[in-house]
């Protein structure tokens, strides 16, 4: 099949906030214990941080990592995770039915962030706790010295404040599974007061209001409107969460789910702007898509109740999942004028691109690579390509373009990149890219992932599903022609 894409500098959607390439570490399963932290592991540093995992995280170039949950945060006493480790209590985690040893906490995570070249997006507990404990945590982390909480931090060996800029006001507070779940009005009031006190404690921080837990919730839409109506003036972002699975083994419908994702993002933008209009406000609320991924392979896994760091949510991803992850991130970039933060949930072991064996090795899941390409090469501003390509109908969606694409333009470094998924299972796509006013830009690299069985997975011994380089296509005048293999992930990089 044939397709055409036209690109011009004027097709700029917006600047890409680098935090759109964020991720997430929750105290859940083996994300922390046996994931990023494992004292005694052959690669562990003096603080027990696994260097083999850090190396793979650094290659992903993740600018922000949300912590410590997720559902976990709604029952978390942050004070349990600071100070001398031998004095820290073991607690039941009611979110996941496990035991939390609290060996790893706030300061250990902030140490990890430094080593991973990333920043922390800290979530506070607005489930079983409230504004008071939240503002204390902000004081502990961000106040220089001379107060109870800041001096406590210093007594724990952390002289300088962590200076955490971004804070989540709880997690999925409309979900009945959440400890301390609330109605929209209850939550709106709590979030408003928490955000207010947190900002008074540390001026300049930004806060994220919990949107509905997903588009499938009965509360979806109304929840956002009601809680935003209450907390609008004090908060900066509203959160979105969405996970997809190929439950019916229908790959064409699975890959079409980005149509729904696009619609979901648009409806939250509209809801924010509706409240803005009602308030005649000058302030615009942007979006924090702070949980997104494929999640379904591990749904029926069994584990021992109240054990420490059991194997939970350990999805082993395949090639078709990688194509959806790439397509989802392309969709987020198409909204980069409003989606400023996004977190691939999660980062290690728990529905994650990086997978470890406790005491053993580590490998990249197929989903690792599209994320890595976008995060490393998709910087600057995003351009909305004019696309002319064949479409298909799937079980739930009509007129699904076979081509999922976005282009990015990094003016400062004279670089461009075009990211494409060919969703056709059996046909190559001959793609003509018209580069309009990008004079002097020539292709320098053409990377792809293709030719795998859609169910192909990686293992500790064989990272089979991985990118490879292709001959660099040449330009004919302003037109670049590339062949996108059936069912493929593609990155075309250009330089001036
Ligand atoms: O990321 C796994 C879980 O999914 C998180 O704890 C929760 O916020 C969501 O339901």
């Amino acid at each position: 099949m044939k397709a055409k894409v036209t690109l011009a500098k004027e097709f700029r959607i917006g600047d890409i906030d680098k935090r759109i390439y964020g991720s997430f570490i929750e105290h859940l399963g083996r994300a922390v214990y046996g994931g990023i932290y494992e004292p005694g592991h052959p690669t562990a540093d003096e603080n027990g941080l696994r260097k083999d995992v850090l190396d793979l995280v650094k290659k992903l170039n993740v600018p922000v990592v949300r912590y410590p949950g997720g559902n976990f945060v709604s029952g978390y006493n942050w004070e349990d995770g600071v100070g001398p480790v031998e004095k820290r209590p073991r607690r039941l985690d009611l979110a996941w039915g496990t035991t939390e040893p609290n060996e790893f906490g706030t300061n250990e995570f902030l140490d990890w962030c430094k080593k991973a070249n990333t920043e922390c997006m800290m979530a506070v507990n607005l489930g079983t706790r409230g504004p008071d404990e939240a503002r204390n945590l902000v004081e502990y982390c961000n106040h220089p010295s001379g107060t109870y909480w800041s001096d406590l931090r210093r007594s724990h060996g952390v002289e300088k404040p962590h200076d955490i800029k971004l804070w989540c006001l709880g997690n999925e507070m409309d979900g009945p599974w959440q400890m301390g779940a609330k109605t929209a009005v209850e939550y709106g009031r709590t979030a408003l007061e928490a955000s207010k006190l947190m900002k008074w404690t540390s001026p300049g921080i930004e806060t994220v209001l919990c949107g509905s837990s997903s588009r499938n919730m009965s509360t979806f839409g109304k929840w956002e409107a009601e809680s935003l109506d209450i907390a609008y003036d004090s908060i900066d972002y509203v959160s979105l969460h969405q996970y997809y699975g190929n439950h019916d083994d229908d790959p064409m419908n699975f890959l079409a789910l980005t149509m729904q994702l696009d619609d979901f993002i648009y409806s939250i933008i509209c809801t924010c702007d509706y409240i803005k209009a009602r308030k005649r406000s000058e302030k615009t609320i942007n979006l924090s898509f702070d949980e997104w991924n494929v999640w379904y392979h591990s749904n029926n896994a069994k584990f021992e109740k109240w054990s420490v760091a059991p194997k939970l949510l350990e999805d082993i991803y395949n090639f078709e999942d990688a194509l959806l992850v790439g397509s989802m991130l392309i969709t987020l970039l198409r909204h980069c004028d409003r989606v400023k933060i996004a977190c691939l949930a999660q980062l290690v072991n728990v529905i994650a691109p990086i997978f470890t064996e406790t005491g053993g090795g580590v490998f990249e899941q197929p989903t690792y690579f599209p994320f890595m390409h976008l995060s490393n090469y998709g910087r600057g501003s995003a351009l909305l390509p004019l696309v002319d390509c064949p479409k298909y109908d799937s079980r739930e969606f009509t007129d699904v373009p076979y081509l999922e694409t976005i282009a990015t333009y990094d003016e400062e470094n004279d670089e461009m990149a075009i990211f494409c998924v060919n969703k056709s299972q059996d046909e190559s796509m001959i793609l003509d890219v018209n580069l309009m006013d990008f004079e002097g830009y020539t292709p320098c690299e053409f990377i792809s992932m293709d030719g795998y069985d859609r169910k192909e997975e990686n293992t500790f011994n064989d990272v089979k599903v991985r990118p490879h380089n292709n001959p660099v296509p040449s330009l004919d005048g302003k037109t670049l022609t590339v062949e996108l293999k059936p069912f493929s992930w593609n990155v075309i990089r250009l330089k001036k």
Side-chain angles (χ1 to χ4, degrees):
M1 73 178 79
K2 289 194 173 216
K4 258 196 218 154
V5 157
T6 308
L7 289 173
K9 290 180 185 164
E10 280 166 16
F11 298 176
R12 194 174 155 276
I13 302 167
D15 287 339
I16 299 166
D17 187 321
K18 65 178 182 179
R19 297 173 301 174
I20 205 165
Y21 301 119
S23 189
F24 179 26
I25 288 282
E26 175 167 2
H27 281 248
L28 194 188
R30 297 189 307 122
V32 173
Y33 305 105
I36 61 171
Y37 172 79
E38 196 186 328
H41 187 271
T43 73
D45 72 4
E46 64 291 357
N47 298 329
L49 303 177
R50 277 184 70 153
K51 286 197 208 142
D52 55 348
V53 174
L54 272 172
D55 286 345
L56 288 184
V57 172
K58 281 191 268 187
K59 283 192 198 143
L60 275 187
N61 206 357
V62 184
V64 71
V65 179
R66 186 166 172 252
Y67 174 86
N71 297 339
F72 171 80
V73 78
S74 296
Y76 184 49
N77 299 337
W78 67 265
E79 303 88 334
D80 292 346
V82 296
V85 174
E86 60 287 1
K87 291 199 177 142
R88 298 187 193 172
R90 288 165 74 85
R91 300 259 191 210
L92 293 184
D93 169 25
L94 305 186
W96 300 104
T98 58
T99 296
E100 171 55 50
N102 279 310
E103 258 174 63
F104 190 94
T106 301
N107 294 320
E108 288 80 17
F109 184 68
L110 270 298
D111 173 41
W112 180 85
C113 284
K114 260 191 217 139
K115 290 173 179 156
N117 298 334
T118 192
E119 289 197 4
C120 170
M121 176 185 193
M122 184 69 89
V124 298
N125 175 356
L126 294 187
T128 60
R129 307 185 102 193
D132 193 39
E133 294 86 354
R135 61 119 176 197
N136 292 345
L137 177 59
V138 175
E139 186 180 317
Y140 180 91
C141 291
N142 284 9
H143 196 71
S145 64
T147 63
Y148 177 78
W149 294 109
S150 58
D151 287 342
L152 186 67
R153 182 200 68 240
R154 292 170 67 229
S155 77
H156 294 159
V158 184
E159 183 57 36
K160 291 231 171 81
H162 292 304
D163 203 14
I164 299 170
K165 293 267 168 4
L166 193 54
W167 295 79
C168 301
L169 302 165
N171 179 69
E172 297 190 346
M173 299 304 306
D174 63 338
W177 59 86
Q178 203 68 217
M179 287 176 264
K182 296 185 170 30
T183 65
V185 172
E186 285 165 352
Y187 174 65
R189 288 283 313 141
T190 308
L192 167 68
E193 290 305 317
S195 181
K196 194 174 86 182
L197 302 198
M198 290 161 74
K199 287 185 169 184
W200 283 349
T201 306
S202 182
I205 64 167
E206 292 186 311
T207 56
V208 182
L209 184 83
C210 286
S212 190
S213 304
S214 85
R215 186 178 173 274
N216 308 332
M217 297 291 292
S218 59
T219 34
F220 168 66
K222 196 162 178 273
W223 168 276
E224 280 83 354
E226 285 181 0
S227 58
L228 269 172
D229 195 37
I230 297 166
Y232 199 92
D233 291 338
S234 184
I235 61 104
D236 304 283
Y237 306 93
V238 67
S239 78
L240 297 81
H241 290 181
Q242 190 67 57
Y243 295 99
Y244 289 128
N246 188 3
H247 300 280
D248 307 305
D249 198 17
D250 179 347
M252 297 315 280
N253 197 66
F254 181 56
L255 291 190
L257 284 163
T258 49
M259 304 273 282
Q260 189 190 87
L261 183 68
D262 193 69
D263 198 50
F264 177 30
I265 297 169
Y266 183 63
S267 47
I268 298 294
I269 293 171
C270 294
T271 310
C272 291
D273 292 351
Y274 159 68
I275 301 298
K276 176 179 177 169
R278 268 178 44 94
K279 288 184 177 291
R280 287 102 180 140
S281 175
E282 304 255 302
K283 177 179 173 183
T284 299
I285 300 293
N286 285 319
L287 276 50
S288 170
F289 211 123
D290 45 44
E291 287 188 35
W292 68 271
N293 204 347
V294 172
W295 172 12
Y296 75 109
H297 297 285
S298 63
N299 283 358
N300 299 321
K302 303 263 180 298
F303 72 102
E304 193 192 329
K305 189 98 170 158
W306 308 129
S307 55
V308 175
K311 294 188 170 184
L312 277 172
L313 278 63
E314 297 204 350
D315 277 40
I316 296 298
Y317 291 113
N318 58 36
F319 179 51
E320 70 183 5
D321 298 329
L323 295 186
L324 187 67
V325 162
S327 302
M328 287 178 82
L329 195 42
I330 287 175
T331 307
L332 294 174
L333 283 164
R334 271 207 298 271
H335 291 281
C336 74
D337 53 335
R338 296 300 292 274
V339 178
K340 299 294 171 186
I341 304 156
C343 303
L344 175 69
Q346 300 191 8
L347 186 56
V348 184
N349 290 335
V350 173
I351 43 172
I354 300 171
F355 198 82
T356 74
E357 188 182 357
T358 304
V362 62
F363 72 90
E364 305 98 324
Q365 299 237 38
T367 54
Y368 180 93
F369 299 105
F371 186 93
M372 179 186 82
H373 292 147
L374 280 153
S375 172
N376 280 281
Y377 306 134
R379 302 286 174 132
S381 47
L383 306 173
L384 188 65
L386 254 183
V387 178
D388 180 6
C389 78
K391 295 179 175 172
Y392 69 93
D393 293 340
S394 74
R395 195 165 36 82
E396 289 176 290
F397 305 96
T398 44
D399 286 337
V400 185
Y402 276 107
L403 177 64
E404 189 91 66
T405 184
I406 191 82
T408 59
Y409 170 41
D410 183 353
E411 201 173 357
E412 233 170 73
N413 295 307
D414 287 333
E415 283 185 22
M416 287 181 72
I418 307 162
F419 303 91
C420 306
V421 175
N422 175 5
K423 297 186 178 178
S424 167
Q425 287 196 77
D426 35 42
E427 270 192 68
S428 270
M429 184 181 283
I430 306 300
L431 175 68
D432 282 343
V433 183
N434 180 350
L435 288 167
M436 297 279 282
D437 54 354
F438 284 99
E439 266 131 39
Y441 279 83
T442 50
C444 61
E445 198 173 14
F446 176 21
I447 312 164
S448 67
M449 287 167 77
D450 53 66
Y452 304 106
D453 185 281
R454 66 186 172 90
K455 297 294 182 193
E456 191 78 71
E457 300 166 351
N458 291 341
T459 64
F460 287 105
N461 302 322
D462 194 2
V463 180
K464 206 177 275 168
V465 185
R466 61 182 321 135
H468 61 88
N469 275 74
N470 302 293
V472 177
S474 51
L475 270 181
D476 182 7
K478 285 183 177 176
T479 306
L480 172 74
T481 304
V482 279
E483 179 188 351
L484 311 179
K485 294 276 169 56
F487 229 54
S488 60
W489 166 254
N490 305 270
V491 184
I492 304 134
R493 299 181 59 213
L494 299 98
K495 278 197 167 152
K496 201 171 176 179

